[in-house]
Amino acid sequence: MCGIFATTGHVETNKMKEILESMKHRGPDEGKQVPLEGFHIGHQRLSIIGLEDGIQPISNEQQSKWIVCNGEIYNYLELKDELEQQTSFLTHSDSEVALKLIETEGVKSIEKLDGMFAFVIVDELTDTFVAARDTLGIKPLYYGRDDEGNYVFSSELKTLYLVTNDVQEFPPGTYYTPETGFVRYREIQHPDQTAQTTRREMTTAIREKLEQAIEKRLLADVEVGVLLSGGLDSSLISAIAAKKAKEQGKTVKSFCVGSAGSEDIERARDVAKAIGSDHYEYIYTQEELIEAIPHVVYALESYEPSLVRSAIPNYFVSKLASEHVKVILSGEGADEIFAGYEYMKQFQTTESLNEEIIRIINTLHNINLQRGDRMSMAHSIELRVPFLDLELIETALQIPSEQKLHTAEQMEKTILRESFDGVLPDQVLWRKKEEFSAGSGALDLLETYANETISDSELARMNEAAPVEIRSKQEALFYRYFIEYFPEQSALETVGKWATA
């Protein structure tokens, strides 16, 4: 949705212009900075809610407190109804609700927010501030101190490195004030008990929670589209969104990319026809894919090979979608919460499986979710992830392991498939999972190019010089671009890693 910057110091005018320009892709609609007595804050806006009056930074009536926020607060209307008895609102923006909530009820009220967000609220009267990030880290936030000891915050590494080399990722589900330090306000918990219900009751609950999650994420003053790879997860999101659009007399727009003859292109066409979406596709060439690599690494702010491989198709599909809509829904997160990965079969008890699910959900902030945010925002479009709705996660964790695990008799995510029986054609609903970069045709192309570009001797030389292990030729290829754009040692410490390269 946006790019934010905040510091307890002051930034010279030309430097502030450079800061805002560095994240203009996150919000090309409007840009604004406000120098205050004790702070300097800036914002680049992609207008989604409160189109006419939601420009940020937003202040209270006395202009003593200000917020810069990136993201969406899905329950802002309910919170606004509660708060209107105690305070008044100056805009229709969901971000102002976060400001007013904390102004009225204090910093602990952050736990009431349901959404994806990263924000900084500064208080001129008390010369303090609060910074916060959503539970899963769907929206990014980085922090550090400059040479004078001032706190600095921003949405992306490239912005923060304009003012300091001391950069760290802000932890998800956490707020920070100078008085309290970091406080974990919410984290994903093991359920008190597993569901003592029938299979039918479980599938009904899953269906209801996912439909509610999508309903929340259709909230916008602009058109919302869907990413459609033709796999189970994106097809379910697309089918439900298409149904809700049809109820309003509209047609949802769906988007897919791939190389010529790739599985994703053919499958997505079939699904789009079945659900009646207004479907768009783009066929990229090998030359375009190779050409995109440095742009993707720069935007992604990572060289992790599994991430870059899947980010390249994401980069192209976000570009395609941005020509038609401002918001897109993605199927991200279904494999994590419904145990869709093959290796999860080793976790035979509900407790051990949930422990692994919670572990990987808590790593998404600097891998899959980073990819989703950066590739969409590189093209000034907002991506939303219904499967990672907190209520849906809670429901999924209550399902016993034997009801979720992949076995000889039960394919992966069977319970999710059963939950939407009749919503999709059987050949889509019961199609086996395939990695996005494989289905889109990117995997083979990148492997071939990396082997042609990086020799065995060069890989050995890079491993001797690098402060981290370079695990494959693909990783070497992406790492080479990464250190060119982000030479600072602290940048390496923000890179999330998958188990294999």
Side-chain angles (χ1 to χ4, degrees):
M1 170 191 170
C2 301
I4 66 172
F5 176 83
T7 178
T8 54
H10 288 277
V11 179
E12 187 267 329
T13 302
N14 287 335
K15 175 60 73 174
M16 197 64 179
K17 286 180 182 177
E18 186 182 2
I19 285 167
L20 293 179
E21 186 64 30
S22 74
M23 55 184 180
K24 192 171 182 179
H25 54 279
R26 298 191 68 88
D29 294 336
E30 298 164 317
K32 184 180 176 183
Q33 53 137 330
V34 177
L36 300 166
E37 189 173 330
F39 307 93
H40 203 154
I41 52 179
H43 190 269
Q44 284 291 152
R45 183 183 185 218
L46 180 67
S47 51
I48 305 291
I49 293 175
L51 303 184
E52 302 302 321
D53 61 1
I55 187 169
Q56 297 189 43
I58 296 172
S59 73
N60 61 0
E61 284 183 298
Q62 297 78 27
Q63 296 195 338
S64 59
K65 293 184 178 69
W66 295 77
I67 187 170
V68 282
C69 179
N70 168 33
E72 302 292 347
I73 311 298
Y74 297 127
N75 63 337
Y76 85 101
L77 290 174
E78 301 97 283
L79 292 172
K80 192 170 185 177
D81 284 344
E82 293 174 17
L83 293 167
E84 278 182 323
Q85 310 263 333
Q86 306 163 68
T87 187
S88 56
F89 288 84
L90 305 178
T91 77
H92 295 92
S93 170
D94 57 316
S95 297
E96 187 186 10
V97 173
L99 171 66
K100 291 293 186 174
L101 177 68
I102 292 163
E103 180 182 39
T104 304
E105 299 185 10
V107 68
K108 290 185 179 179
S109 63
I110 289 172
E111 65 186 18
K112 289 187 174 184
L113 298 174
D114 177 13
M116 54 178 193
F117 56 81
F119 63 73
V120 178
I121 295 173
V122 302
D123 188 333
E124 283 272 84
L125 289 180
T126 57
D127 193 33
T128 192
F129 66 87
V130 56
R133 192 178 182 195
D134 67 72
T135 305
L136 300 179
I138 299 171
K139 301 312 289 183
L141 187 62
Y142 295 92
Y143 74 100
R145 295 280 193 107
D146 66 15
D147 291 342
E148 297 173 1
N150 298 305
Y151 291 96
V152 282
F153 299 89
S154 76
S155 297
E156 295 190 1
L157 287 175
K158 58 184 69 71
T159 299
L160 214 53
Y161 279 128
L162 293 172
V163 292
T164 180
N165 288 333
D166 170 36
V167 172
Q168 299 174 67
E169 186 189 10
F170 195 95
T174 301
Y175 68 77
Y176 178 91
T177 74
E179 295 78 25
T180 63
F182 287 102
V183 176
R184 188 70 184 261
Y185 67 86
R186 188 193 292 122
E187 56 188 321
I188 305 299
Q189 303 274 3
H190 285 271
D192 293 333
Q193 60 182 30
T194 53
Q196 303 297 314
T197 57
T198 65
R199 181 87 167 189
R200 173 62 64 89
E201 288 170 326
M202 287 182 218
T203 58
T204 299
I206 290 168
R207 185 165 179 158
E208 288 176 353
K209 292 299 182 185
L210 181 57
E211 289 184 345
Q212 289 167 10
I214 291 170
E215 186 80 48
K216 281 184 202 176
R217 285 156 183 81
L218 292 172
L219 180 69
D221 294 332
V222 295
E223 189 173 5
V224 179
V226 292
L227 298 187
L228 178 57
S229 69
L232 173 67
D233 309 332
S234 68
S235 296
L236 283 176
I237 299 292
S238 299
I240 297 166
K243 177 189 169 190
K244 293 186 181 296
K246 190 175 181 181
E247 289 168 357
Q248 299 174 356
K250 299 176 182 177
T251 302
V252 74
K253 290 183 171 69
S254 58
F255 305 94
C256 183
V257 300
S259 59
S262 61
E263 294 269 2
D264 284 2
I265 290 290
E266 299 299 329
R267 291 174 175 179
R269 286 175 186 167
D270 292 342
V271 176
K273 186 175 180 181
I275 67 175
S277 63
D278 184 7
H279 191 59
Y280 299 82
E281 62 183 44
Y282 182 75
I283 311 295
Y284 54 73
T285 65
Q286 181 171 354
E287 292 72 27
E288 286 177 301
L289 186 145
I290 301 306
E291 206 174 274
I293 293 173
H295 303 289
V296 167
V297 171
Y298 177 71
L300 183 62
E301 300 186 331
S302 175
Y303 62 88
E304 208 288 326
S306 299
L307 210 56
V308 177
R309 282 198 299 267
S310 55
I312 293 175
N314 278 156
Y315 182 82
F316 285 116
V317 80
S318 295
K319 182 179 181 182
L320 173 65
S322 70
E323 297 166 4
H324 303 275
V325 297
K326 268 191 167 182
V327 179
I328 43 177
L329 305 185
S330 162
E332 196 69 63
D335 285 318
E336 284 74 16
I337 69 172
F338 290 107
Y341 295 118
E342 181 77 13
Y343 82 93
M344 286 181 161
K345 289 191 292 186
Q346 67 185 285
F347 301 101
Q348 290 295 307
T349 67
T350 301
E351 185 177 356
S352 65
L353 179 61
N354 277 347
E355 192 172 309
E356 176 62 7
I357 288 171
I358 291 170
R359 184 193 72 78
I360 60 174
I361 286 173
N362 286 333
T363 67
L364 292 178
H365 59 93
N366 66 350
I367 46 175
N368 300 37
L369 290 173
Q370 181 167 325
R371 175 194 62 209
D373 173 81
R374 298 299 202 287
M375 294 304 98
S376 56
M377 296 268 49
H379 297 289
S380 308
I381 189 169
E382 179 177 285
L383 182 137
R384 299 177 178 178
V385 283
F387 276 110
L388 292 175
D389 183 86
L390 296 181
E391 289 187 15
L392 180 58
I393 293 173
E394 185 179 347
T395 298
L397 288 172
Q398 290 172 351
I399 299 169
S401 58
E402 64 270 17
Q403 303 279 5
K404 280 191 287 193
L405 285 175
H406 181 191
T407 66
E409 295 77 33
Q410 179 172 274
M411 73 186 300
E412 82 278 354
K413 295 185 287 193
T414 288
I415 195 163
L416 176 62
R417 299 171 198 271
E418 287 180 3
S419 301
F420 291 92
D421 186 36
V423 172
L424 289 168
D426 281 354
Q427 67 268 26
V428 178
L429 196 62
W430 296 98
R431 181 182 291 147
K432 192 168 175 58
K433 171 183 169 55
E434 185 166 10
E435 185 181 344
F436 181 39
S437 55
S440 66
L443 191 57
D444 292 341
L445 294 175
L446 288 168
E447 183 66 22
T448 300
Y449 181 70
N451 286 329
E452 291 172 351
T453 306
I454 305 291
S455 66
D456 292 343
S457 58
E458 183 174 3
L459 179 60
R461 282 197 303 274
M462 289 178 73
N463 260 314
E464 284 178 16
V468 292
E469 180 190 3
I470 308 298
R471 298 169 292 169
S472 67
K473 288 186 177 181
Q474 273 194 53
E475 188 161 53
L477 176 65
F478 307 144
Y479 177 81
R480 198 164 62 180
Y481 288 118
F482 181 82
I483 58 172
E484 178 186 339
Y485 298 130
F486 306 103
E488 299 84 358
Q489 174 67 30
S490 59
L492 293 172
E493 295 164 8
T494 69
V495 175
K497 292 291 189 75
W498 286 9
T500 60

